[in-house]
Amino acid sequence: MTGVTHLLWYPAAMGEACRRRWLRLRDYLALRVARFAAPATAFKSQPEPRSYGLSTRGLQMLAGNHLVQGDVVEIGKDSLWGPLLKDPETAADLHGFAWLDDVVAVDTAEARKQAQVWLFHWISEFGGGRGAGWSPDVTGRRVVRWINHAIMILHQAEGADSRAYFRSLGHQSRFLMKRWKSTHAGLPRFEALTGLVYCGLALEGQSHVLAPALRALGRECQREISEDGGITSRNPEELMEIFTLLSWVNQAVSTQSSGINPEIIRALQRMAPAIRALRLGDGAMARFHGGGAGQAERIDQALADAGIGSPARNGGAMGFARLSAGGTVVLMDADKVPTTGAPDRAHASTLAIELSSGRIPVLVNMGAAKGFSAKLRSAARATAAHSGVTVAGASLARFAGAGFVRRIYGQQLIEAPRKITIQRDNNQYGQAVRSSHDGYGQSHGLIHSREIALLHSGNEVQGHDRIIAQTTAEKVRFAKAAEQRDWDHELPFAVHFRIHPDVKVDLDMGGTAASLTLPNSEIWILRASGLKMALHDTIFFEHGRLVPRATKEVVVTGAVVAYEGAIRWTLSRPA
């Protein structure tokens, strides 16, 4: 980070730190007031569980194994609200109670009993407003899980525990009503408002919060969901989470014959085709901009609950281009790196692709490194962590922020592609998309263009990556960068093909081809202009696993000579 950048960043970071302290003070005051609100006393109707998780993650939690900053921490069952809370990210996850979905999924008497112990312990320790779990989004997430799993929570519970449970829900409802506006727009605000709607629908004495919450939720839908069904963070998993929350609200309101805000229905109608366009063949979401794959079954359920049968948006959605034929799906990030929504999680992934064959993912990105160290999260954001193109080992976008700045903001985007072009073509042979970006323009004087074509049979994907300096200004910048860095007018660039861990890869034909063997014994062959390929060890982050999975990547290297370099490649399977 340059001295000028320091001058710009640190005053902003100080301002953000003061803003956060002010918000915490206002949250504290709202909590004090909320304690005097009339408590909820019972449910107006029996809640139905709508959220569910993975039993594998539930078993990990019950065994006392937790992921904290990339390290597996083993604790006893009685220590859930102890040392784990020292890490802010882990604390937010625990206080939000999304883990309750996973523990309930284990579906044993012991798991249900342990969940009750942890929950009532939370009420005694933090239910009065203490601790870090009282931001509006975390509170909304917690309320939804408590109400969804109320039957399990209150099963054979003592009277004092039951009264404490309802008293705490009334406290949280009042807090959400006062403070939902203070949380960030996007998923955090949708979580806070969904929790408030749940309180209004389910709890005796909280009906007065329902109508204002539904109106506010409708306004957020109108403001945050674009015409093509996308969101500003361009995170597919986050889009799916918002859709799921709105689907739950729609279903819960409909069962009680209450009036749903029409903006919520219109948002669901815009989002459903976008969700379908951003799914790979296995039903998972494409992993871009900090998003994971999600749970295919949960996505299916949310789409079914919404009752919207619109097909996948033609050509893609939310800045992602989609090609699909013969069971093969290709998704390419063909838009700018997001600077709003969640810029601290944006990835340098412009023109990177993911590919699936049938229900099997083949080409992927490194995945979201949530829960791991800051170093690994930074590595996962780099261009080299995607099935894309790097120039001289550099990323197409630069992120900054260390020490105090990183603690306040996370790593923020400081330089990224400014101009993106995209063209689509369908003809008698197949579908194609051609896109370019200037992310290497300022640093190297180069433009990257990528053309991806998928034959109608679905048996072959053709790629053409071109690195070029065309204008006089670009050539001057390239020459200056070459002189400063002693490139001798030859600049290496590389095309990365990151392979899913379930796919076996071997180099053939003297290293000029790679064979990819899928779990169903299907074989794809990768070739690249007769160039030699390198096979590297790498890792893949998968949500729910405590350690990264080992995998491989194929790297093809070319050179920019006389202001231009190109690599043509094909990925094909026998007909």
Side-chain angles (χ1 to χ4, degrees), residues 126-209:
F126 309 105
R130 296 183 298 276
W134 284 93
S135 62
D137 54 322
V138 172
T139 303
R141 202 181 312 151
R142 178 170 60 244
V143 163
V144 168
R145 266 63 188 195
W146 282 23
I147 294 176
N148 272 346
H149 301 300
I151 296 174
M152 182 276 295
I153 292 168
L154 299 177
H155 179 65
Q156 295 182 344
E158 296 182 2
D161 287 337
S162 179
R163 288 190 295 273
Y165 168 83
F166 283 110
R167 183 168 58 249
S168 181
L169 280 176
H171 188 183
Q172 293 176 72
S173 175
R174 177 72 173 176
F175 172 73
L176 286 172
M177 187 169 63
K178 290 288 186 182
R179 298 298 295 155
W180 69 264
K181 291 181 182 178
S182 69
T183 197
H184 288 292
L187 179 59
R189 192 168 292 177
F190 279 103
E191 288 179 320
L193 285 170
T194 300
L196 192 55
V197 169
Y198 263 58
C199 289
L201 283 170
L203 299 174
E204 290 283 0
Q206 299 297 316
S207 300
H208 61 284
V209 307

Side-chain angles (χ1 to χ4, degrees), residues 59-81:
L59 289 170
Q60 289 171 0
M61 190 158 193
L62 290 166
N65 297 324
H66 302 268
L67 182 65
V68 181
Q69 293 293 308
D71 295 324
V72 178
V73 178
E74 297 182 8
I75 64 170
K77 290 183 179 180
D78 297 329
S79 304
L80 186 63
W81 307 115

Side-chain angles (χ1 to χ4, degrees), residues 417-495:
R418 300 175 183 176
K419 183 180 180 181
I420 311 286
T421 67
I422 184 168
Q423 295 176 303
R424 293 181 173 86
D425 182 32
N426 292 328
N427 54 40
Q428 68 269 31
Y429 303 107
Q431 313 161 42
V433 60
R434 183 184 298 109
S435 188
S436 69
H437 72 83
D438 61 354
Y440 297 114
Q442 292 297 315
S443 58
H444 301 81
L446 295 167
I447 303 297
H448 171 217
S449 70
R450 165 168 271 192
E451 182 176 355
I452 303 290
L454 175 64
L455 301 189
H456 282 315
S457 64
N459 290 331
E460 183 170 297
V461 180
Q462 301 172 353
H464 182 198
D465 286 296
R466 190 175 179 221
I467 307 291
I468 187 170
Q470 291 179 305
T471 67
T472 301
E474 289 168 355
K475 291 178 180 179
V476 169
R477 194 176 293 120
F478 174 78
K480 186 179 293 186
E483 182 180 350
Q484 291 174 345
R485 305 179 193 187
D486 195 27
W487 290 334
D488 195 23
H489 293 276
E490 282 197 15
L491 176 64
F493 71 97
V495 183

Side-chain angles (χ1 to χ4, degrees), residues 178-388:
K178 290 288 186 182
R179 298 298 295 155
W180 69 264
K181 291 181 182 178
S182 69
T183 197
H184 288 292
L187 179 59
R189 192 168 292 177
F190 279 103
E191 288 179 320
L193 285 170
T194 300
L196 192 55
V197 169
Y198 263 58
C199 289
L201 283 170
L203 299 174
E204 290 283 0
Q206 299 297 316
S207 300
H208 61 284
V209 307
L210 179 58
L214 287 173
R215 285 196 300 270
L217 198 55
R219 288 194 297 270
E220 290 302 310
C221 288
Q222 191 174 21
R223 181 165 46 236
E224 297 296 325
I225 310 301
S226 66
E227 286 303 313
D228 77 341
I231 54 177
T232 55
S233 70
R234 300 192 57 238
N235 179 326
E237 185 184 31
E238 195 168 282
L239 179 70
M240 181 271 294
E241 291 291 346
I242 293 173
F243 181 87
T244 301
L245 291 173
L246 295 178
S247 175
W248 288 348
V249 167
N250 181 39
Q251 193 177 24
V253 171
S254 299
T255 58
Q256 296 199 16
S257 301
S258 300
I260 189 72
N261 190 303
E263 289 297 338
I264 297 175
I265 300 297
R266 283 193 279 268
L268 288 168
Q269 291 170 343
R270 295 197 301 274
M271 295 169 76
I275 293 283
R276 292 186 170 101
L278 297 175
R279 301 181 77 181
L280 294 168
D282 60 350
M285 305 302 294
R287 301 168 181 86
F288 286 100
H289 299 298
Q295 295 173 233
E297 298 83 0
R298 187 167 172 242
I299 303 169
D300 289 338
Q301 188 64 53
L303 288 166
D305 290 343
I308 300 168
S310 306
R313 187 175 293 277
N314 188 33
M318 205 165 71
F320 296 93
R322 177 186 176 91
L323 306 175
S324 177
T328 301
V329 176
V330 182
L331 281 165
M332 181 170 78
D333 184 354
D335 207 343
K336 294 180 180 179
V337 179
T339 57
T340 57
D344 60 318
R345 289 184 278 129
H347 286 197
S349 59
T350 308
L351 305 197
I353 63 172
E354 290 205 349
L355 181 148
S356 63
S357 175
R359 297 187 59 83
I360 301 173
V362 180
L363 298 183
V364 293
N365 300 318
M366 185 183 283
K370 182 181 178 182
F372 290 87
S373 66
K375 182 178 180 180
L376 285 176
R377 290 200 298 271
S378 295
R381 300 178 74 184
T383 305
H386 300 78
S387 293

